[in-house]
Amino acid sequence: MSAFAPITIPDVKARALKLYERQFGPWAAGTFGEIADLPDPLPLPSIPWTISLHPPSERTALNDLNTARQWARAWKIFGLPGEAELTWEIRSWPSVGSQSVPVRLSAYSPSAIAHLAGRGSEWSLAVNRLGDLAASMTRSWGKSRVRACAGELQLAVRKCARQLCSMADDDWGRSLGVLQWLSENPGASCFIRELPILGIDSKWMEKHRGTIEPLHQALSGQPFCFRRPSLLVRIRYLDRNLAPSGLTDLAVTADELQHLGCRNMKSRPKSVIVCENLTTMCALPTAEGVLAVHGGGYRAGDLGEVRWLAETRLFYWGDLDTNGFAILERFRAHFPQTVSVLMDGETLLHHASLCVAEEKPRKGAFEHLTREETETLNLLLGGNDIGLAPHIPSIDFAKHALRLEQERVSWPWALERLDAVLL
């Protein structure tokens, strides 16, 4: 005996919602293309949408006639949205006579599907904002420019459609204002704080950048031009005679560090040591002709902008782990003369009991390491092979590499070796 299992109104709403969520971006992009009168607007996928309601046969209806009648009556009084249609057919059933039953529902627009999904208000808001966007862009950039960028614009709308609809009204107005300002000031380089738009600040821009930047880039072909505060590099003159105005401990931008090294050749340090750990850098003793620089992990690569470093003795002291060697690798790509210190097998083995597991070892090729550094890297990756497993039973060498953090290296051990290379 067949069970009566036609498609109910809640079933249709659930399927419509699933379709709406999946196609929201493409529908927004195509709708924007139509509103903006773009050449070859993107198609609206899954439109029209038709779903069979699987009406009961005579046999299944007779098994539960009351349920079948309630199902048909529910569809009869269901309020269909515009651009949607319910198809009925007459079935001649000898047992109960002719019956009119709904057989399929068709929706011919995103709006109709949105209403079926319970998202009609959201879609109406999207269409209104797409209209605002088209009008604003046409006023700011000109219709010919908008049409010339049709493909890029529609892809940008598809990318940011969700954010476009989730904004508060005030934020949407500010977004249009930013886009207009960018169109009127091409190539301008300023801080976000300088924009003459009420309510715009860096936090607001970070929150809404994902909506504004793709749209701007689609029209201009350029990413945002806004300036950011420069990152600071902490430095210490280990030789007070080199320090500008006697200031030995400074935080400067890379540009300022470049200037400090070029202002007077006599005040340029003979040696520079880049330290991964800030506390270690601060603890370094005085040394004639030496400048210490805090590397700050992978930020050490930013020092590539300091061109005079290529003309000095340069040392790098990082963590003894795969990431430490990856940073050294990146740094040496800028400055091939870089010599590593305290990143050797002897230091590793001497401090084996202080090693921990490196949970996420760095993978990839290391092309700028010396033979000795490569051997040390292999020691980090092969704890079992060098007999360290009994000394560090907590580490599973099959899954993890070794890690000896810079600040765990014995200070007398470190000073002895630093003296040997810096003098």
Side-chain angles (χ1 to χ4, degrees):
M1 185 177 295
S2 301
F4 175 52
I7 301 300
T8 64
I9 293 172
D11 292 336
V12 167
K13 289 182 176 180
R15 295 190 188 187
L17 179 59
K18 187 175 181 179
L19 177 64
Y20 174 83
E21 294 289 350
R22 186 173 70 249
Q23 300 293 3
F24 184 89
W27 287 347
T31 301
F32 174 80
E34 294 175 354
I35 294 173
D37 191 26
L38 300 181
D40 301 320
L42 292 178
L44 304 177
S46 304
I47 301 294
W49 179 58
T50 299
I51 180 170
S52 174
L53 302 182
H54 301 303
S57 64
E58 179 183 18
R59 182 177 179 180
T60 56
L62 287 174
N63 287 334
D64 194 345
L65 189 58
N66 186 52
T67 298
R69 285 172 173 169
Q70 289 178 351
W71 172 80
R73 188 180 303 115
W75 277 113
K76 189 171 185 179
I77 63 175
F78 178 62
L80 285 176
E83 299 179 283
E85 177 185 25
L86 195 59
T87 301
W88 295 74
E89 291 182 358
I90 301 297
R91 302 290 169 85
S92 298
W93 291 340
S95 301
V96 292
S98 296
Q99 302 292 321
S100 179
V101 296
V103 294
R104 76 183 64 86
L105 183 145
S106 301
Y108 301 102
S109 70
S111 177
I113 296 171
H115 279 83
L116 287 169
R119 299 293 181 85
S121 297
E122 181 184 61
W123 181 253
S124 295
L125 176 64
V127 172
N128 288 337
R129 289 190 171 175
L130 292 170
D132 293 342
L133 182 64
S136 177
M137 286 184 164
T138 300
R139 285 194 305 269
S140 301
W141 296 84
K143 190 173 183 64
S144 60
R145 178 65 178 173
V146 172
R147 289 175 64 85
C149 300
E152 294 87 347
L153 269 176
Q154 290 178 97
L155 291 177
V157 168
R158 176 174 178 169
K159 181 178 180 180
C160 66
R162 279 294 180 191
Q163 299 96 309
L164 182 149
C165 291
S166 62
M167 283 186 186
D169 289 341
D170 287 347
D171 289 330
W172 174 238
R174 294 183 184 111
S175 298
L176 293 178
V178 172
L179 288 168
Q180 180 179 341
W181 187 91
L182 289 169
S183 73
E184 296 169 352
N185 299 272
S189 179
C190 66
F191 290 103
I192 292 169
R193 185 68 180 87
E194 298 177 78
L195 289 181
I197 303 171
L198 186 65
I200 299 296
D201 55 38
S202 57
K203 290 182 179 178
W204 184 94
M205 187 62 74
E206 286 303 315
K207 182 178 180 180
H208 300 293
R209 185 176 188 135
T211 304
I212 301 172
E213 187 166 22
L215 297 171
H216 168 255
Q217 189 160 355
L219 280 169
S220 68
Q222 300 293 328
F224 271 0
C225 55
F226 298 122
R227 294 172 61 192
R228 292 176 175 270
S230 300
L231 295 175
L232 296 178
V233 180
R234 183 79 174 268
I235 63 174
R236 274 191 68 225
Y237 285 91
L238 305 186
D239 185 344
R240 184 175 290 275
N241 294 323
L242 301 178
S245 301
L247 301 175
T248 60
D249 196 336
L250 304 170
V252 298
T253 66
D255 286 342
E256 290 169 339
L257 184 55
Q258 167 67 15
H259 173 71
L260 284 175
C262 295
R263 77 190 194 285
N264 185 341
M265 292 300 293
K266 292 182 179 179
S267 64
R268 180 180 292 185
K270 296 179 181 178
S271 301
V272 174
I273 179 168
V274 179
C275 291
E276 158 71 17
N277 180 264
L278 177 60
T279 302
T280 298
M281 187 208 74
C282 292
L284 291 174
T286 58
E288 184 178 351
V290 180
L291 172 69
V293 177
H294 178 220
Y298 283 95
R299 280 187 54 197
D302 296 340
L303 295 172
E305 302 174 25
V306 185
R307 296 181 298 279
W308 63 265
L309 289 178
E311 302 168 7
T312 190
R313 295 173 68 214
L314 196 54
F315 301 92
Y316 182 80
W317 179 15
D319 289 332
L320 254 171
D321 59 13
T322 62
N323 279 277
F325 278 111
I327 297 168
L328 172 62
E329 166 93 1
R330 183 178 297 184
F331 193 71
R332 192 174 276 149
H334 293 288
F335 305 111
Q337 84 277 21
T338 303
V339 175
S340 64
V341 292
L342 293 154
M343 298 179 71
D344 54 84
E346 185 183 15
T347 297
L348 175 66
L349 294 174
H350 184 78
H351 298 83
S353 62
L354 301 178
C355 290
V356 296
E358 186 181 20
E359 297 294 336
K360 296 181 179 179
R362 186 79 173 189
K363 298 180 180 179
F366 291 82
E367 301 176 353
H368 297 95
L369 300 185
T370 65
R371 179 176 59 82
E372 291 79 9
E373 290 163 352
T374 300
E375 290 175 354
T376 303
L377 178 63
N378 290 334
L379 288 177
L380 294 168
L381 295 169
N384 278 329
D385 299 334
I386 59 175
L388 291 183
H391 302 287
I392 321 174
S394 61
I395 299 179
D396 182 352
F397 288 105
K399 298 179 180 178
H400 307 301
L402 282 176
R403 184 183 189 212
L404 176 63
E405 294 175 278
Q406 184 182 76
E407 56 264 47
R408 307 205 77 186
V409 174
S410 165
W411 197 236
W413 175 279
L415 290 181
E416 181 180 346
R417 280 146 187 82
L418 288 173
D419 285 344
V421 296
L422 293 178
L423 292 179

